[in-house]
Amino acid sequence: MNNKIIGFVVLTLSFAGGWMWMDYQSALQQPLLVDRTVLIEIEKGDSLDRIINKLEAEKLVLKPFWFKVIALQKNALKKLKTGEYELTPGLTAPKIITLFVQGKTKQHAITFPEGWSFKEIMRQIEKNTNIEHTLNGVAVENVMNKLNLDAKFPAVVSSPEPEKNAASTPDAVAAKQSPEGLFFPDTYFFEKHTPDVSLLKRAYDKMQSVLQQEWLNKAEGLPFKTPYEALILASIVEKETGAAAERPQIAGVFIRRLEQKMLLQTDPTVIYGMGDSYQGDIKSKDLTAATPYNTYVISGLPPTPIAMPGRAALNAVLHPDQGDSLYFVGRGDGTHVFSATLKDHNSAVDKFQRKKK
């Protein structure tokens, strides 16, 4: 009788052990998701049990006991990182735990297009629910202070001549008050709950880096005293044309006009100076209004950029076309006709703007 009992117990234990081993192997190899993607957020203070509950709430094919065992085997209990994770079909329990340990969180994206103003950037940030908003209600002129960037303009305002103190020039003072043009247009990837200031600092740092690279490789004999002046003109070139091939030509026109003490007379600066009063049309009175950005009235460059220029626009103003044109007018298809004389320019205006032939 005793032998039968012992045999039965051994058989039962063997069966149970075999079943547990197969169940464990299943937990190791079975995908927890088959045909859908799930977002899971691990928050600060979440225990492993709490994480398992979140996974179960999303209907993952989960074995909680074995999930804990696998986590213990990986020594993962104190290594799980907070953040939002994208769990895709085919992931097994070990792979999900590894994902949590490595902190490979879901990356969201935000794009700042070339030619956008700082106000447009902020509107894009404000409507993105994955960003932590800390700048709501902060006036534009106070943004640089909020970012702790008011005194950090090495690439933007440094003068190539060491004896000159560029930080005291008018354009440097304007830059410290205005964030316009100081952020590089690009697509930026970020984790959920990334603060807006963090994204802006990244865009700022990238503009510093790109501007410095372009400035160090600039052509000789340009009329810029500081990289910031080049940034200002690049923003104008960015707004003047969407035709990439024309940027050096337009930059050449503006640089020759600066060199010859001619007014720039560029509509995008007028529009920028009009602010919210611009309703899609420039009137004759707008061209005579005394604003710091009305280049039909002021000589030289406006005090700040008017938008975010991309690398191509920066490169264009630092490597402008060497032609003789001083004027250009739009054809109506996004490209321009360039002229060296006012007579030829007026003829082009008659043909393409006034529709006279």
Side-chain angles (χ1 to χ4, degrees):
M1 176 66 78
N2 288 338
N3 288 338
K4 290 183 178 181
I5 293 174
I6 293 172
F8 176 76
V9 170
V10 170
L11 182 63
T12 301
L13 290 174
S14 298
F15 177 80
W19 177 85
M20 289 185 67
W21 174 254
M22 288 188 294
D23 198 44
Y24 170 65
Q25 291 299 312
S26 174
L28 286 174
Q29 300 171 21
Q30 181 181 6
L32 304 192
L33 287 162
V34 178
D35 57 0
R36 61 195 178 95
T37 296
V38 166
L39 294 179
I40 293 290
E41 185 171 2
I42 298 179
E43 299 172 282
K44 186 176 181 180
D46 275 357
S47 64
L48 183 58
D49 284 332
R50 173 65 176 151
I51 294 170
I52 289 172
N53 289 340
K54 290 182 176 182
L55 294 172
E56 289 184 313
E58 294 294 338
K59 309 299 183 184
L60 271 70
V61 185
L62 184 68
K63 300 177 186 291
F65 173 78
W66 292 122
F67 195 88
K68 291 180 183 179
V69 170
I70 296 167
L72 286 168
Q73 288 176 332
K74 288 180 170 288
N75 194 27
L77 294 188
K78 295 183 179 180
K79 299 179 181 178
L80 303 177
K81 295 179 174 62
T82 59
E84 183 185 39
Y85 294 87
E86 186 174 49
L87 307 183
T88 56
L91 285 179
T92 61
K95 289 181 179 179
I96 289 175
I97 293 169
T98 298
L99 196 70
F100 293 164
V101 170
Q102 293 177 343
K104 292 185 176 180
T105 55
K106 176 179 174 57
Q107 295 294 296
H108 298 272
I110 188 168
T111 298
F112 304 148
E114 296 172 345
W116 268 21
S117 69
F118 184 72
K119 287 183 178 179
E120 289 174 307
I121 295 175
M122 290 308 299
R123 282 197 289 267
Q124 183 81 334
I125 288 175
E126 287 166 5
K127 69 182 184 182
N128 192 308
T129 58
N130 296 304
I131 296 172
E132 181 184 336
H133 301 112
T134 68
L135 294 173
N136 289 349
V138 176
V140 169
E141 61 269 19
N142 295 327
V143 168
M144 299 309 289
N145 287 331
K146 188 75 173 178
L147 296 177
N148 294 320
L149 295 174
D150 54 316
K152 295 164 61 179
F153 289 80
V156 171
V157 299
S158 294
S159 171
E161 296 86 12
E163 69 272 12
K164 292 184 179 180
N165 181 10
S168 64
T169 60
D171 58 11
V173 173
K176 290 185 179 183
Q177 297 172 344
S178 171
E180 197 68 77
L182 300 181
F183 304 91
F184 191 76
D186 204 349
T187 295
Y188 296 90
F189 294 92
F190 62 95
E191 296 180 349
K192 189 175 182 179
H193 302 309
T194 293
D196 45 17
V197 293
S198 176
L199 283 170
L200 288 173
K201 284 179 180 179
R202 284 171 57 192
Y204 172 88
D205 288 343
K206 186 161 185 180
M207 179 60 86
Q208 289 279 313
S209 175
V210 170
L211 180 56
Q212 188 173 45
Q213 291 168 16
E214 294 295 334
W215 179 261
L216 291 175
N217 294 297
K218 69 183 186 298
E220 297 295 326
L222 297 174
F224 305 123
K225 294 179 180 178
T226 68
Y228 189 63
E229 291 181 347
L231 182 68
I232 293 172
L233 188 57
S235 74
I236 297 173
V237 170
E238 190 69 71
K239 295 297 289 184
E240 275 286 8
T241 183
E246 287 191 346
R247 290 190 183 111
Q249 289 178 277
I250 288 178
V253 169
F254 287 139
I255 286 174
R256 284 186 287 278
R257 292 180 75 93
L258 288 173
E259 291 172 338
Q260 297 181 33
K261 308 299 182 185
M262 297 174 67
L263 299 180
L264 291 184
Q265 296 183 322
T266 171
D267 290 355
T269 63
V270 177
I271 293 169
Y272 184 84
M274 291 172 66
D276 293 337
S277 67
Y278 177 69
Q279 298 297 318
D281 187 32
I282 300 176
K283 299 177 173 60
S284 57
K285 66 181 180 66
D286 299 320
L287 299 179
T288 58
T291 78
Y293 294 90
N294 187 353
T295 51
Y296 285 84
V297 175
I298 66 166
S299 60
L301 295 167
T304 73
I306 60 172
M308 291 186 301
R311 183 186 284 270
L314 288 166
N315 185 269
V317 300
L318 294 171
H319 300 274
D321 178 73
Q322 297 300 310
D324 59 358
S325 56
L326 292 170
Y327 309 89
F328 60 86
V329 64
R331 287 191 175 94
D333 62 356
T335 64
H336 297 81
V337 175
F338 295 84
S339 304
T341 68
L342 182 58
K343 179 181 178 181
D344 289 344
H345 174 64
N346 285 334
S347 295
V349 171
D350 286 343
K351 179 177 181 180
F352 293 102
Q353 294 293 316
R354 302 186 186 120
K355 304 301 181 184
K356 293 180 180 179
K357 296 184 180 180

